[in-house]
Amino acid sequence: MASSLGGADKLLNPFKIYSLPVESWINHTIFFLVDRLRPFFQAIRFPFSLVLDGIEWVFLAIPPLILLPIIGLVVWQLAGRRIAIFSIVALIVLGFLGVWQETMMTLSFMGTAVLFCILIGIPIGIACASNYRIDRVVQPILDFMQTLPLFIYLVPIVMLFGIGKVPGVIATLIVAIPPLIRLTTLGIRQVSKEVVEAAIAFGSTKRQVLWEVQIPLAMRTILAGLNQTIMAALSMTVIASMIAVEGLGMMVLRGTASLNIGQASIGGLGIALLAIMLDRITQAIGQGNHQVSWQERGPIGFILSKVKNKKAASTYSGS
Amino acid sequence: MVNAKPKVRIEHLIKIYGEKPRAALQLFREGKSRDAILQVTGHVLGIADVSFTVNQGEVFVVMGLSGSGKSTLIRCINRLIKPTSGHIYIDDEDIALINEERMREIRLTKVSMVFQHFGLFPHKTVVENVAYGLKIRGVEKKQRSQKALETLEVVGLTQWAGYLPASLSGGMQQRVGLARALATDAEILLMDEPFSALDPLIRREMQEELLRLQKKLHKTIIFISHDIQESVKLGSRIAVMKDGYIVQIATPEELITNPADNYIRAFIQDVNRAQVLKTGSIARQIITFTVEEDSPQTALEKMLYQNLKQIYVVRQGFPVGVVSRETLAAAIPEGREDITQLMQADFPQVNADTTLENIFHLYQQELPIAVVDESGKFKGVVEQSDVFASISSLT
């Protein structure tokens, strides 16, 4: 009786009899890759670490009192005066909380990740928009990247690239790049068919159609994608600190681990302030008032109008 | 019309939409209908074996309802849509065969286009829009702006040069579209329902503007329309399309006086015939009195025989006066036989290409109107009853 029940048990639950050895396949593949292709993956590190170190050097080498006005002016030009003031105040607060260096490290880490997202993501997005076959391949990969829990690919990345900032950037890339690709594709597809037709009808090459018409008209949507990419990248800072990426995320991780709630809170506050700041900046760029050209707004507009007035005044007094 | 040299020649053009048009093409050549091809292959027959010629300086209107293939047809001419089979000659060069690079050159220099919803670049100013073709061609910025401003002047929009298209009204936007097409000095203008998105008043204004410009510029225009009124107003010839086929190619007058089938008959019901029909086409050949040849007696006999109330007096082919039967009948017994003394030199006269709507006021004298050709020679007469008969749609 018992044995027959055991037989039925086995029959009704075939999973006990056999399971696919996928686990060992993946392990073997990863080990094989690590074993044979390590130099290749180390070579991939190079451009990332070059950019990363460069940006970090700039942010850390310039003293805060000089960097602050530069950031202020750039943000003013890009996103307007109010957001510039907010950014400056936020950075000053972070400075007095004693986390200036961590903030700059996080900022440069983010900057690198986002830069590579742009360099890789926008061309892929454009390719998807113009070719349905590429799109059909890329879309499921993006779905996969967005649904896969982070920790699953954190381990193979560490095995292939080691620990440190570069694997951190690569892990961030995987999380942050999908929205940019998707929204670039969407933005370009949304450009009125008739407008594209008009560009072709007047003899534009594909490249000219892209640069003269499609990208400028898709810019708003692309920037919305960039905004989401930056937010996704920021959300990665704490996780990236697990593979030894220094910065505000590291403070949160260490603080939590050692029950130093104060340290964790300051780290968290820093990330939050950066997030708000970058979100506002990118949103402002995306929704910018395109009626006013860049020469007429921000600090450049301010200076140019002064110069013009002065010229007008001098010609007036001269005559 | 002005110069009957063929500029665009289309021969056996076929366009089939779908992934594998060859099989569908085979079915079409076997004589299967559009619906049958759709059912069997899932392919849509866009243009079904269309041939026609557009002469230099002509406004050739392609008219049809939506889905008739007219938009596909116009896009085949600058190859925005690649034809499945057939030939399109522009100045004897087959557009269907040339490579992409040469096609681009033709788009840059020979063929330009105006779009239904204007197709303006919303991020570029009006002057940048107009200069676009020149920019793509590689013309220096100063030169192309200069040319764009000149072209904007032609359409009366110079003061709007620095604005974005969105700040202009629909009619003005289409003027920009037109200016953009004119700025490249292309000889062929493709106009894809350019006025159908405009208000009726603005539409009429734009139609008149186009006619005015065409008088100066003599472009070869291929004009797509779904509006018969517009077609007969603008077209020197009209091709009516249905389900990818051309049903009839004719001048506006021929279309109205001689529709090929009931489909066209249904279309032309709404047309104000008086605006389309010309006196020349309804003028009646009638006996005349030729000075120094005819005698008053025989003329009177003929008039009595044909029951004419008056007769036109012609000298060397030119009408010089009109004389009534009563006058003639009274004068002959008295021996006054010099017709030039009897005739009335004041009579209504029109050119053969005057439309009927412009002659009504001439009937105040109750005389039949004399119709003359371009050289002023007598062609015939148009009576009031002829006009009414020809503008009633019951013909």
Side-chain angles (χ1 to χ4, degrees):
Chain A
M1 190 68 189
S3 69
S4 73
L5 197 82
D9 190 31
K10 269 191 181 163
L11 267 180
L12 290 172
N13 188 354
F15 306 135
K16 279 200 170 169
I17 305 169
Y18 183 75
S19 56
L20 289 168
V22 175
E23 190 183 320
S24 71
W25 291 349
I26 293 173
N27 282 336
H28 277 110
T29 316
I30 295 289
F31 283 127
F32 173 81
L33 288 176
V34 171
D35 218 32
R36 302 288 168 83
L37 295 176
R38 189 96 201 220
F40 171 69
F41 285 103
Q42 293 303 315
I44 292 181
R45 287 182 69 123
F46 181 70
F48 287 97
S49 66
L50 196 72
V51 173
L52 193 56
D53 291 342
I55 294 179
E56 202 175 87
W57 184 84
V58 169
F59 274 120
L60 288 177
I62 302 174
L65 261 184
I66 297 173
L67 192 57
L68 272 173
I70 295 175
I71 292 178
L73 287 173
V74 169
V75 175
W76 182 13
Q77 182 66 46
L78 290 175
R81 202 171 343 189
R82 276 178 52 199
I83 295 165
I85 292 169
F86 172 81
S87 306
I88 296 290
V89 171
L91 289 174
I92 289 172
V93 167
L94 289 172
F96 282 117
L97 286 172
V99 291
W100 177 264
Q101 190 170 353
E102 283 83 354
T103 306
M104 287 303 115
M105 286 171 110
T106 299
L107 215 51
S108 54
F109 174 79
M110 293 272 316
T112 312
V114 170
L115 183 70
F116 279 98
C117 280
I118 292 170
L119 289 180
I120 300 168
I122 290 181
I124 292 179
I126 291 168
C128 287
S130 54
N131 189 327
Y132 276 90
R133 237 170 257 166
I134 297 177
D135 192 42
R136 235 173 278 159
V137 177
V138 170
Q139 286 305 326
I141 297 175
L142 294 183
D143 291 337
F144 199 62
M145 283 159 77
Q146 282 186 307
T147 48
L148 205 67
L150 301 171
F151 289 98
I152 291 177
Y153 56 78
L154 215 51
V155 178
I157 284 176
V158 169
M159 290 177 80
L160 293 171
F161 293 99
I163 59 165
K165 284 176 279 186
V166 170
V169 167
I170 290 168
T172 305
L173 214 62
I174 295 174
V175 177
I177 212 169
L180 186 58
I181 296 178
R182 281 192 210 276
L183 282 164
T184 302
T185 307
L186 180 70
I188 288 181
R189 289 231 177 106
Q190 271 176 346
V191 174
S192 146
K193 194 179 159 250
E194 207 185 50
V195 171
V196 174
E197 252 186 351
I200 299 171
F202 281 94
S204 315
T205 59
K206 275 189 180 159
R207 187 178 296 251
Q208 284 166 329
V209 174
L210 192 65
W211 285 107
E212 291 282 340
V213 176
Q214 286 175 313
I215 289 184
L217 290 177
M219 208 28 125
R220 215 168 251 241
T221 315
I222 294 175
L223 285 170
L226 184 67
N227 176 272
Q228 288 190 27
T229 289
I230 291 175
M231 293 302 109
L234 258 176
S235 72
M236 273 296 287
T237 47
V238 179
I239 292 161
S241 68
M242 288 177 179
I243 52 174
V245 175
E246 285 181 86
L248 294 168
M250 187 66 105
M251 287 182 67
V252 177
L253 188 71
R254 282 208 187 119
T256 323
S258 59
L259 286 181
N260 185 346
I261 303 302
Q263 192 189 18
S265 302
I266 290 174
L269 179 71
I271 294 174
L273 283 177
L274 277 188
I276 296 170
M277 197 178 114
L278 293 172
D279 180 53
R280 285 297 126 89
I281 294 171
T282 44
Q283 275 195 27
I285 300 171
Q287 291 160 3
N289 182 0
H290 294 293
Q291 300 276 27
V292 185
S293 74
W294 62 269
Q295 295 106 317
E296 286 166 26
R297 54 188 155 89
I300 295 178
F302 186 74
I303 294 164
L304 283 181
S305 70
K306 286 271 172 226
V307 171
K308 231 182 233 168
N309 285 346
K310 209 171 183 185
K311 252 189 195 162
S314 69
T315 49
Y316 180 74
S317 62
S319 63
Chain B
M1 290 262 293
V2 185
N3 179 358
K5 204 176 114 200
K7 189 81 184 165
V8 179
R9 207 166 82 241
I10 292 179
E11 284 177 5
H12 302 294
L13 185 70
I14 299 171
K15 173 66 194 178
I16 292 165
Y17 287 106
E19 303 258 306
K20 289 172 187 141
R22 288 287 137 200
L25 188 61
Q26 189 59 38
L27 285 180
F28 175 72
R29 294 226 159 105
E30 283 163 14
K32 296 281 194 298
S33 76
R34 197 190 207 204
D35 290 337
I37 292 170
L38 181 65
Q39 214 137 48
V40 176
T41 62
H43 285 49
V44 178
L45 182 63
I47 300 175
D49 197 5
V50 161
S51 304
F52 62 84
T53 305
V54 182
N55 295 324
Q56 190 155 12
E58 183 179 28
V59 180
F60 189 87
V61 177
V62 179
M63 196 196 69
L65 301 177
S66 56
S68 62
K70 57 193 195 302
S71 285
T72 305
L73 178 65
I74 202 170
R75 278 167 176 72
C76 283
I77 296 170
N78 61 357
R79 227 172 66 181
L80 287 176
I81 291 174
K82 219 168 169 186
T84 308
S85 160
H87 304 282
I88 299 159
Y89 297 98
I90 293 180
D91 290 333
D92 298 319
E93 187 175 10
D94 193 346
I95 294 300
L97 296 180
I98 58 177
N99 65 17
E100 205 49 44
E101 197 42 46
R102 177 68 192 138
M103 189 63 237
R104 233 168 50 70
E105 269 170 46
I106 287 176
R107 289 181 192 140
L108 283 173
T109 54
K110 270 193 186 171
V111 186
S112 63
M113 191 161 177
V114 181
F115 293 84
Q116 184 176 7
H117 302 290
F118 323 138
L120 298 178
F121 307 120
H123 58 299
K124 291 178 185 286
T125 62
V126 165
V127 69
E128 283 169 350
N129 263 284
V130 176
Y132 185 80
L134 301 168
K135 181 179 184 181
I136 292 302
R137 205 192 283 174
V139 177
E140 286 292 310
K141 181 158 189 189
K142 225 176 196 173
Q143 257 175 300
R144 67 178 189 245
S145 296
Q146 172 82 21
K147 173 78 186 174
L149 283 172
E150 280 169 28
T151 319
L152 276 174
E153 204 177 332
V154 173
V155 297
L157 282 181
T158 323
Q159 68 275 32
W160 293 91
Y163 289 78
L164 289 179
S167 40
L168 273 63
S169 72
M172 289 187 333
Q173 288 193 33
Q174 194 57 300
R175 277 167 204 264
V176 177
L178 187 59
R180 179 175 63 177
L182 294 176
T184 60
D185 287 325
E187 300 146 49
I188 300 166
L189 228 59
L190 305 177
M191 305 186 83
D192 182 19
E193 297 200 39
F195 306 146
S196 63
L198 303 175
D199 298 336
L201 272 178
I202 309 289
R203 191 183 312 157
R204 198 188 311 157
E205 202 181 295
M206 290 294 286
Q207 288 163 354
E208 264 139 36
E209 172 112 6
L210 181 68
L211 287 174
R212 180 181 68 79
L213 285 175
Q214 174 63 358
K215 252 183 207 152
K216 269 197 290 190
L217 302 171
H218 306 296
K219 302 273 182 193
T220 304
I221 299 177
I222 299 177
F223 190 106
I224 302 286
S225 179
H226 64 251
D227 178 358
I228 181 76
Q229 312 267 11
E230 182 173 77
S231 305
V232 297
K233 183 169 181 182
L234 299 177
S236 35
R237 281 188 304 149
I238 301 169
V240 182
M241 281 188 87
K242 184 194 177 195
D243 296 342
Y245 295 86
I246 285 185
V247 186
Q248 186 174 9
I249 300 179
T251 64
E253 270 186 291
E254 280 165 16
L255 202 67
I256 277 155
T257 52
N258 200 5
D261 63 6
N262 285 329
Y263 183 72
I264 291 174
R265 227 163 265 141
F267 252 123
I268 59 174
Q269 262 181 358
D270 301 337
V271 176
N272 179 352
R273 292 157 161 265
Q275 274 179 356
V276 179
L277 291 180
K278 293 176 177 153
T279 47
S281 65
I282 62 164
R284 266 196 288 167
Q285 292 273 324
I286 202 164
I287 54 156
T288 52
F289 185 100
T290 310
V291 182
E292 287 152 13
E293 274 179 32
D294 294 331
S295 75
Q297 284 86 354
T298 49
L300 185 60
E301 269 167 42
K302 278 186 198 162
M303 284 170 82
L304 283 167
Y305 183 68
Q306 292 190 7
N307 197 21
L308 295 176
K309 287 208 180 80
Q310 51 276 106
I311 189 165
Y312 269 96
V313 181
V314 173
R315 178 181 282 141
Q316 286 157 356
F318 299 97
V320 289
V322 64
V323 59
S324 72
R325 196 165 80 193
E326 285 96 52
T327 318
L328 213 53
I332 291 167
E334 294 168 20
R336 292 187 286 135
E337 291 195 359
D338 184 1
I339 200 86
T340 50
Q341 296 296 317
L342 299 171
M343 74 185 184
Q344 179 184 340
D346 170 29
F347 60 91
Q349 174 183 330
V350 295
N351 276 324
D353 62 358
T354 313
T355 54
L356 296 190
E357 69 171 350
N358 291 323
I359 65 168
F360 287 113
H361 66 281
L362 297 174
Y363 282 110
Q364 280 162 356
Q365 289 178 285
E366 291 181 15
L367 285 170
I369 297 170
V371 178
V372 296
D373 61 16
E374 310 93 270
S375 54
K377 294 207 168 157
F378 189 79
K379 270 193 84 176
V381 297
V382 174
E383 294 205 51
Q384 225 161 345
S385 56
D386 298 328
V387 174
F388 288 134
S390 60
I391 62 174
S392 75
S393 43
L394 291 170
T395 45

